[in-house]
Each structure stands twice: as structure tokens, then as C-alpha cells.
Amino acid sequence: MGIGEFAGVTHLSIRTLRRYHDAGLLEPARVDPVTGYRSYAPEQVPTAQVIHQLRALDLPLDDVRAVLTSPDPAVRAARVAEHLDRLQAQLARTTAAVASLQRLLDPGPVEVELRSVPATTVAAVAADVDLADVLVFYAGAMAELDAAVPAPAGPPGVLVDDALFTVGRGQLVVHVPADRAPTTGRVRPREVPAADLAVRTHVGDHDTIDVTYGELGRWVAEHALAVDGPVRETHLVGPRDTPDTAAWRTEIARPVFRVSAG
């Protein structure tokens, strides 16, 4: 088949076929040494379509070449699966960014509660964590706490060091209320001190929780309050309780004290 006929069969433009040839992805079956005219074999149709689909998924050229040339089906499948995982992660980031932007462009009322809480004894797992590793650390810590405290006295919570956001690494303390907190593995008893809190409840999944953090921070600043300790998250209802994201409730609390006028 000439390049024009092959383009029509594969629904790929002549320009695209030439680009695939120049990149070494799809060599024509024959190139006329005088005219440079490219001809393709019918059995090359599936290969051209595979390349097109892989490039539609933004698979890098080197990875496309590796998929085409690898004799091992498992290796080919693994490369494609890794790329699909990257695309899923990118889609999740994009979805979260879009949701946050929509909330910022159409803000609702900011309801904040001032609340005084007593000191609480908890079972806790604490560590300095990189921001990128927060979810993995939280999952591991909760698994240990579930095993050590099968009947906690309340919902789980997290103490979040501001450095986690300002420099990308900070202390994270995952905890559950427990009157008699055990010492086992990484689990240790700890006291969360009494505090006056400014509390805002985040409703729904966590895609826009950064906006809720910002709303609370702005409210604290506007009401002449100073921050006095790490952020406290309390996961009243979350993925551990129900897959219905609309039912999720996360309290975000800032320990505060009023700044004197003088």
C-alpha cells in the first residue's frame, strides 16, 4: 500500500506516518531509493494503530519503542500499566485543582466555631514526614492504631505541623482517643493539650480541603487571633466509615489566642 492508502486505512495522516518513520517507530515496508516514496504492508496496520493509541495516551516515544520491540508480553504490559497509573494520578490532581478553583471562584459563607477543649489522652503514632508521603504514613499509622486500640473513645485525628506545608516536611501525629493508651510498636501514649480552637468543618471528599484550610486561616487572621500550635484534624466521618464522599466530615481546628490591642 502507498502511504496515502495506508493513511486512509489506519486513519493516520501522511504527516503522522512520516513522523513515526523519522522517529524509528514504524518503518515502511519499502522506500523507493529514487523517489523516496514510502510503501507499507497490510500487516503493519495493527502496529500503526497501536502506536497511535499509545501516543494518544501521551506515552513517551522511548516507551512506545520499548513496547513495540520487547519480545516479552509481560514487559510490554508493565510499561503500559505504569503509564496508565501516572495518568490516573495526574487526572486525580487535575480533578482536585478544578474543584478547588471552582470553590475559590464561587465561595460560600465561612462558618467557624470557637471552642474550648480539655486535654485529651490519646494513643499516637508520630514521625517527621515528607508531604508526598502523608497518605502512606497515615494509612500505616491507622493500621497500627486499629490493632493496638480496637475500641477507641472517639474518632481518629491528626496533629499537623505547619512545616509540612511551608517546607514540605514536618511532624505528623496520627492518634485516636484512648483512656489507657498502650505502648506497642510505634504506638505511644500522648496528651493533646487543652486549647481554645477555631474550628471549620470540611464537608465531602478531600479534593478541596486546601480551600477549607485557607478559609479558616483567613478567618483567624481577620478576627485578630494568633495561632498557638499545630493544626488539628478530626476525621468525624471518612472513607473508613462510608464510601459516600458526600457524607464525609473533617473538622479542621487551629489552636488560637486573641492578640492584645496594646
Side-chain angles (χ1 to χ4, degrees):
M1 287 185 284
I3 190 170
E5 182 182 0
F6 191 75
V9 170
T10 59
H11 293 179
L12 300 175
S13 70
I14 292 174
R15 181 179 180 181
T16 297
L17 290 171
R18 287 173 176 162
R19 189 167 66 249
Y20 287 170
H21 182 193
D22 294 341
L25 294 178
L26 184 62
E27 298 280 345
R30 180 177 180 274
V31 179
D32 188 289
V34 177
T35 65
Y37 192 78
R38 300 168 172 89
S39 298
Y40 294 83
E43 57 267 24
Q44 290 182 287
V45 170
T47 301
Q49 292 176 325
V50 167
I51 295 171
H52 179 62
Q53 292 301 323
L54 293 175
R55 290 297 293 150
L57 292 173
D58 293 325
L59 190 69
L61 289 176
D62 288 344
D63 287 340
V64 173
R65 191 177 295 108
V67 168
L68 295 174
T69 58
S70 173
D72 187 345
V75 172
R76 296 197 298 267
R79 280 188 177 267
V80 175
E82 288 172 4
H83 184 65
L84 291 177
D85 287 343
R86 290 194 294 269
L87 289 178
Q88 291 286 359
Q90 180 179 341
L91 177 61
R93 291 193 297 271
T94 301
T95 299
V98 169
S100 292
L101 185 57
Q102 288 173 331
R103 270 192 62 186
L104 289 168
L105 293 175
D106 186 21
V110 176
E111 298 179 0
V112 174
E113 175 190 353
L114 290 175
R115 181 189 306 167
S116 294
V117 298
T120 306
T121 301
V122 299
V125 175
D128 288 339
V129 181
D130 290 333
L131 185 59
D133 299 329
V134 165
L135 294 180
V136 173
F137 174 77
Y138 179 83
M142 282 307 307
E144 289 189 52
L145 289 168
D146 285 341
V149 188
V158 185
L159 303 180
V160 185
D161 185 359
D162 276 335
L164 192 68
F165 305 113
T166 58
V167 300
R169 183 175 177 82
Q171 188 179 70
L172 209 65
V173 182
V174 182
H175 61 81
V176 294
D179 294 333
R180 295 182 179 179
T183 298
T184 176
R186 294 187 299 172
V187 177
R188 296 288 184 275
R190 188 184 187 108
E191 182 179 89
V192 178
D196 293 325
L197 303 176
V199 183
R200 175 144 172 76
T201 300
H202 176 79
V203 177
D205 63 32
H206 297 164
D207 284 350
T208 61
I209 201 167
D210 59 324
V211 179
T212 304
Y213 264 84
E215 290 170 342
L216 178 61
R218 186 178 74 247
W219 189 94
V220 167
E222 289 174 347
H223 288 76
L225 301 174
V227 176
D228 186 27
V231 175
R232 304 183 183 192
E233 286 190 13
T234 303
H235 303 156
L236 301 177
V237 182
R240 290 160 51 85
D241 307 299
T242 174
D244 179 11
T245 58
W248 295 0
R249 297 291 185 274
T250 306
E251 283 189 348
I252 302 171
R254 284 269 186 192
V256 294
F257 60 90
R258 188 167 296 280
V259 179
S260 64

